[in-house]
PDB file of all heavy atoms in Angstrom:
ATOM      1  N   ARG V 250     -41.424 -20.566 -64.770  1.00 89.00           N
ATOM      2  CA  ARG V 250     -39.973 -20.470 -64.537  1.00 89.00           C
ATOM      3  C   ARG V 250     -39.778 -20.528 -63.043  1.00 89.00           C
ATOM      4  O   ARG V 250     -40.329 -19.693 -62.328  1.00 89.00           O
ATOM      5  CB  ARG V 250     -39.446 -19.125 -65.034  1.00 89.00           C
ATOM      6  CG  ARG V 250     -38.893 -19.128 -66.411  1.00 89.00           C
ATOM      7  CD  ARG V 250     -37.938 -17.969 -66.692  1.00 89.00           C
ATOM      8  NE  ARG V 250     -38.269 -16.693 -66.108  1.00 89.00           N
ATOM      9  CZ  ARG V 250     -38.961 -15.737 -66.722  1.00 89.00           C
ATOM     10  NH1 ARG V 250     -39.402 -15.941 -67.932  1.00 89.00           N
ATOM     11  NH2 ARG V 250     -39.219 -14.589 -66.136  1.00 89.00           N
ATOM     12  N   ARG V 254     -34.256 -16.072 -59.211  1.00 94.00           N
ATOM     13  CA  ARG V 254     -34.472 -14.764 -59.832  1.00 94.00           C
ATOM     14  C   ARG V 254     -35.964 -14.517 -60.053  1.00 94.00           C
ATOM     15  O   ARG V 254     -36.494 -13.457 -59.721  1.00 94.00           O
ATOM     16  CB  ARG V 254     -33.706 -14.728 -61.158  1.00 94.00           C
ATOM     17  CG  ARG V 254     -33.637 -13.375 -61.771  1.00 94.00           C
ATOM     18  CD  ARG V 254     -33.017 -13.415 -63.149  1.00 94.00           C
ATOM     19  NE  ARG V 254     -33.487 -12.256 -63.877  1.00 94.00           N
ATOM     20  CZ  ARG V 254     -34.641 -12.205 -64.499  1.00 94.00           C
ATOM     21  NH1 ARG V 254     -35.441 -13.243 -64.522  1.00 94.00           N
ATOM     22  NH2 ARG V 254     -35.002 -11.091 -65.114  1.00 94.00           N
ATOM     23  N   GLN V 255     -36.635 -15.528 -60.597  1.00 95.00           N
ATOM     24  CA  GLN V 255     -38.071 -15.373 -60.856  1.00 95.00           C
ATOM     25  C   GLN V 255     -38.840 -15.261 -59.538  1.00 95.00           C
ATOM     26  O   GLN V 255     -39.772 -14.470 -59.418  1.00 95.00           O
ATOM     27  CB  GLN V 255     -38.574 -16.574 -61.685  1.00 95.00           C
ATOM     28  CG  GLN V 255     -40.070 -16.542 -61.994  1.00 95.00           C
ATOM     29  CD  GLN V 255     -40.480 -15.401 -62.933  1.00 95.00           C
ATOM     30  OE1 GLN V 255     -39.674 -14.528 -63.269  1.00 95.00           O
ATOM     31  NE2 GLN V 255     -41.731 -15.387 -63.331  1.00 95.00           N
ATOM     32  N   ALA V 257     -37.727 -13.985 -56.819  1.00 95.00           N
ATOM     33  CA  ALA V 257     -37.488 -12.642 -56.279  1.00 95.00           C
ATOM     34  C   ALA V 257     -38.395 -11.620 -56.974  1.00 95.00           C
ATOM     35  O   ALA V 257     -38.931 -10.714 -56.339  1.00 95.00           O
ATOM     36  CB  ALA V 257     -36.025 -12.259 -56.454  1.00 95.00           C
ATOM     37  N   ASN V 258     -38.577 -11.788 -58.284  1.00 95.00           N
ATOM     38  CA  ASN V 258     -39.481 -10.888 -59.004  1.00 95.00           C
ATOM     39  C   ASN V 258     -40.922 -11.087 -58.554  1.00 95.00           C
ATOM     40  O   ASN V 258     -41.671 -10.124 -58.372  1.00 95.00           O
ATOM     41  CB  ASN V 258     -39.386 -11.135 -60.521  1.00 95.00           C
ATOM     42  CG  ASN V 258     -38.124 -10.542 -61.103  1.00 95.00           C
ATOM     43  OD1 ASN V 258     -37.577  -9.584 -60.549  1.00 95.00           O
ATOM     44  ND2 ASN V 258     -37.638 -11.093 -62.189  1.00 95.00           N
ATOM     45  N   LEU V 261     -41.557  -9.369 -55.364  1.00 94.00           N
ATOM     46  CA  LEU V 261     -41.814  -7.935 -55.511  1.00 94.00           C
ATOM     47  C   LEU V 261     -43.282  -7.690 -55.859  1.00 94.00           C
ATOM     48  O   LEU V 261     -43.892  -6.731 -55.409  1.00 94.00           O
ATOM     49  CB  LEU V 261     -40.962  -7.353 -56.645  1.00 94.00           C
ATOM     50  CG  LEU V 261     -39.508  -7.036 -56.372  1.00 94.00           C
ATOM     51  CD1 LEU V 261     -38.867  -6.459 -57.622  1.00 94.00           C
ATOM     52  CD2 LEU V 261     -39.386  -6.033 -55.235  1.00 94.00           C
ATOM     53  N   ASN V 303     -34.807  -8.088 -50.006  1.00 84.00           N
ATOM     54  CA  ASN V 303     -35.913  -7.349 -50.624  1.00 84.00           C
ATOM     55  C   ASN V 303     -37.219  -7.476 -49.856  1.00 84.00           C
ATOM     56  O   ASN V 303     -38.247  -7.885 -50.400  1.00 84.00           O
ATOM     57  CB  ASN V 303     -36.137  -7.801 -52.073  1.00 84.00           C
ATOM     58  CG  ASN V 303     -34.863  -7.783 -52.864  1.00 84.00           C
ATOM     59  OD1 ASN V 303     -34.054  -6.874 -52.706  1.00 84.00           O
ATOM     60  ND2 ASN V 303     -34.656  -8.803 -53.671  1.00 84.00           N
TER      61      ASN V 303
ATOM     62  N   LEU S  40     -41.581  -7.021 -64.530  1.00 95.00           N
ATOM     63  CA  LEU S  40     -40.347  -7.764 -64.217  1.00 95.00           C
ATOM     64  C   LEU S  40     -40.582  -9.265 -64.294  1.00 95.00           C
ATOM     65  O   LEU S  40     -39.720 -10.020 -64.745  1.00 95.00           O
ATOM     66  CB  LEU S  40     -39.850  -7.394 -62.815  1.00 95.00           C
ATOM     67  CG  LEU S  40     -39.301  -5.976 -62.625  1.00 95.00           C
ATOM     68  CD1 LEU S  40     -38.911  -5.752 -61.175  1.00 95.00           C
ATOM     69  CD2 LEU S  40     -38.098  -5.727 -63.521  1.00 95.00           C
ATOM     70  N   ILE S  41     -41.769  -9.691 -63.849  1.00 94.00           N
ATOM     71  CA  ILE S  41     -42.091 -11.127 -63.862  1.00 94.00           C
ATOM     72  C   ILE S  41     -41.969 -11.709 -65.264  1.00 94.00           C
ATOM     73  O   ILE S  41     -41.596 -12.855 -65.449  1.00 94.00           O
ATOM     74  CB  ILE S  41     -43.531 -11.344 -63.334  1.00 94.00           C
ATOM     75  CG1 ILE S  41     -43.612 -11.016 -61.858  1.00 94.00           C
ATOM     76  CG2 ILE S  41     -44.005 -12.765 -63.572  1.00 94.00           C
ATOM     77  CD1 ILE S  41     -45.037 -10.945 -61.355  1.00 94.00           C
ATOM     78  N   LEU S  43     -39.990 -10.712 -67.686  1.00 94.00           N
ATOM     79  CA  LEU S  43     -38.685 -10.550 -68.333  1.00 94.00           C
ATOM     80  C   LEU S  43     -37.691 -11.597 -67.834  1.00 94.00           C
ATOM     81  O   LEU S  43     -37.514 -11.751 -66.622  1.00 94.00           O
ATOM     82  CB  LEU S  43     -38.137  -9.146 -68.055  1.00 94.00           C
ATOM     83  CG  LEU S  43     -39.017  -7.999 -68.570  1.00 94.00           C
ATOM     84  CD1 LEU S  43     -38.440  -6.657 -68.169  1.00 94.00           C
ATOM     85  CD2 LEU S  43     -39.172  -8.057 -70.080  1.00 94.00           C
ATOM     86  N   ASP S  44     -37.077 -12.300 -68.765  1.00 92.00           N
ATOM     87  CA  ASP S  44     -36.107 -13.307 -68.348  1.00 92.00           C
ATOM     88  C   ASP S  44     -34.710 -12.678 -68.198  1.00 92.00           C
ATOM     89  O   ASP S  44     -34.553 -11.468 -68.370  1.00 92.00           O
ATOM     90  CB  ASP S  44     -36.104 -14.505 -69.312  1.00 92.00           C
ATOM     91  CG  ASP S  44     -35.662 -14.099 -70.706  1.00 92.00           C
ATOM     92  OD1 ASP S  44     -35.226 -12.941 -70.875  1.00 92.00           O
ATOM     93  OD2 ASP S  44     -35.742 -14.929 -71.627  1.00 92.00           O
ATOM     94  N   GLN S  48     -33.437  -8.897 -69.093  1.00 95.00           N
ATOM     95  CA  GLN S  48     -32.914  -8.015 -68.030  1.00 95.00           C
ATOM     96  C   GLN S  48     -31.554  -7.439 -68.438  1.00 95.00           C
ATOM     97  O   GLN S  48     -31.318  -6.241 -68.311  1.00 95.00           O
ATOM     98  CB  GLN S  48     -32.783  -8.791 -66.710  1.00 95.00           C
ATOM     99  CG  GLN S  48     -32.212  -7.913 -65.595  1.00 95.00           C
ATOM    100  CD  GLN S  48     -32.123  -8.621 -64.251  1.00 95.00           C
ATOM    101  OE1 GLN S  48     -32.438  -9.792 -64.134  1.00 95.00           O
ATOM    102  NE2 GLN S  48     -31.699  -7.893 -63.233  1.00 95.00           N
ATOM    103  N   THR S 138     -30.614 -13.385 -56.756  1.00 92.00           N
ATOM    104  CA  THR S 138     -31.993 -12.999 -57.095  1.00 92.00           C
ATOM    105  C   THR S 138     -32.027 -12.092 -58.322  1.00 92.00           C
ATOM    106  O   THR S 138     -33.103 -11.782 -58.826  1.00 92.00           O
ATOM    107  CB  THR S 138     -32.664 -12.254 -55.921  1.00 92.00           C
ATOM    108  OG1 THR S 138     -31.966 -11.017 -55.720  1.00 92.00           O
ATOM    109  CG2 THR S 138     -32.633 -13.054 -54.645  1.00 92.00           C
ATOM    110  N   GLN S 140     -31.443  -9.035 -58.318  1.00 93.00           N
ATOM    111  CA  GLN S 140     -32.008  -7.728 -57.968  1.00 93.00           C
ATOM    112  C   GLN S 140     -31.019  -6.789 -57.288  1.00 93.00           C
ATOM    113  O   GLN S 140     -31.303  -5.613 -57.153  1.00 93.00           O
ATOM    114  CB  GLN S 140     -33.223  -7.934 -57.056  1.00 93.00           C
ATOM    115  CG  GLN S 140     -34.332  -8.649 -57.802  1.00 93.00           C
ATOM    116  CD  GLN S 140     -35.627  -8.654 -57.066  1.00 93.00           C
ATOM    117  OE1 GLN S 140     -35.677  -8.366 -55.880  1.00 93.00           O
ATOM    118  NE2 GLN S 140     -36.692  -8.995 -57.754  1.00 93.00           N
TER     119      GLN S 140
END
Side-chain angles (χ1 to χ4, degrees):
Chain V
R250 265 201 322 266
R254 191 187 156 277
Q255 179 67 353
N258 284 334
L261 280 181
N303 309 321
Chain S
L40 291 177
I41 292 169
L43 300 176
D44 64 8
Q48 179 177 3
T138 65
Q140 295 191 345

